[in-house]
Amino acid sequence: MGFHELHHGDHPLVLPNAWDFASGAALVKAGFPAIGTTSLGVAAAAGKTDATGGTREETLALARVLARLPVPVTVDIEGGFSARAEDVAALVAELASLGIAGVNLEDGRADGTLAPVAHQTAVIAAVKEAAPAVFLNARTDTFWLGDPDRDETLLRARAFAEAGADGIFVPGIVDDADIRAVLDTADVPLNVLYLPGRTEYARMDRLGVHRVSTGSLLFRSALQATVNAALGVTGDGGGHPAPSYGDVQRLVRP
């Protein structure tokens, strides 16, 4: 089944996010029908901070090896690693030439602001013209930045869909009413971030969400397991908590 079709099944597509070839291959072996990447994992593995636009080459390098997997792969390209629409479009076209099936493209900026709607729709339109077969998951950070704004979310969801986005991703959205509003407004598949205890899969299924992705959860859980395994060598330690997103950012920040 193609990547676009996976968003229209009887239940939401569970999209686990890998950070290297081994994690991606292990997830495929476990039976997942598609794999995404986590920009935090890619950045942290390279000793860089996430969401600052500094991992273009690492992202491309990972895409080249993940394209070997026998399932569709979608790549998180943050904000496209450029403010120029033509540069972002060229990057996605290059990813398409490697066999990548989709991209996540976000409107959040490193300074905590959102890209202007007109700019983001121009980028989306340019990407779809350059790589029409790639599933463009347009992410808006209206909830992720910590001050949820439903009206702004709906405005952006509608504008991004009209510009050609194949799906809308609203990380941080949790409440039923907010999710239903986006579903009713965008008229394209909705991607929700899995937040333990807050966006349970069964509830997302009942609401009609099309895709549930894990974001950095698997990478952070792997760090937790690594530390606990090392501490457990002597029989001491263990029970080390999983690092938060901010914890990982601080680990690699110069």
Side-chain angles (χ1 to χ4, degrees):
M1 185 181 292
F3 191 54
H4 285 73
E5 288 72 26
L6 287 172
H7 291 77
H8 297 282
D10 294 332
H11 303 286
L13 168 66
V14 177
L15 187 79
N17 297 87
W19 58 94
D20 60 11
F21 183 81
S23 57
L27 290 164
V28 171
K29 186 176 181 181
F32 290 95
I35 302 296
T37 67
T38 161
S39 64
L40 177 67
V42 174
K48 298 181 177 181
T49 51
D50 183 33
T52 57
T55 56
R56 185 183 190 280
E57 293 310 311
E58 290 86 354
T59 299
L60 271 170
L62 178 58
R64 289 188 186 97
V65 295
L66 288 181
R68 292 163 43 196
L69 295 173
V71 300
V73 173
T74 182
V75 174
D76 186 342
I77 60 171
E78 298 185 8
F81 307 114
S82 175
R84 290 160 42 93
E86 55 266 40
D87 292 344
V88 182
L91 171 62
V92 179
E94 183 173 359
L95 289 168
S97 74
L98 298 174
I100 296 301
V103 295
N104 269 18
L105 179 65
E106 64 197 48
D107 62 5
R109 291 175 162 175
D111 62 2
T113 63
L114 297 172
V117 173
H119 170 80
Q120 200 67 8
T121 54
V123 174
I124 290 168
V127 167
K128 289 305 296 182
E129 182 177 359
V134 171
F135 188 103
L136 197 168
N137 202 36
R139 166 175 160 170
T140 182
D141 284 348
T142 47
F143 277 70
W144 188 246
L145 294 177
D147 187 17
D149 186 333
R150 187 198 290 187
D151 290 342
E152 183 68 17
T153 302
L154 299 182
L155 183 154
R156 287 174 179 262
R158 184 183 300 109
F160 295 171
E162 290 175 351
D166 300 288
I168 301 296
F169 181 25
V170 189
I173 197 169
V174 171
D175 292 342
D176 289 12
D178 291 333
I179 291 171
R180 289 195 184 100
V182 177
L183 285 167
D184 291 343
T185 297
D187 200 30
V188 294
L190 173 62
N191 183 186
V192 169
L193 179 66
Y194 176 70
L195 299 170
R198 302 182 67 197
T199 51
E200 302 88 347
Y201 181 80
R203 182 165 64 90
M204 297 301 102
D205 189 5
R206 288 196 300 271
L207 287 169
V209 168
H210 303 82
R211 170 166 146 186
V212 177
S213 53
T214 61
S216 66
L217 175 64
L218 305 186
F219 175 71
R220 292 183 290 105
S221 296
L223 293 181
Q224 177 189 26
T226 298
V227 171
N228 284 333
L231 291 172
V233 170
T234 62
D236 297 327
H240 192 80
S244 67
Y245 177 92
D247 290 336
V248 177
Q249 289 280 71
R250 286 185 287 274
L251 277 176
V252 299
R253 187 170 289 132

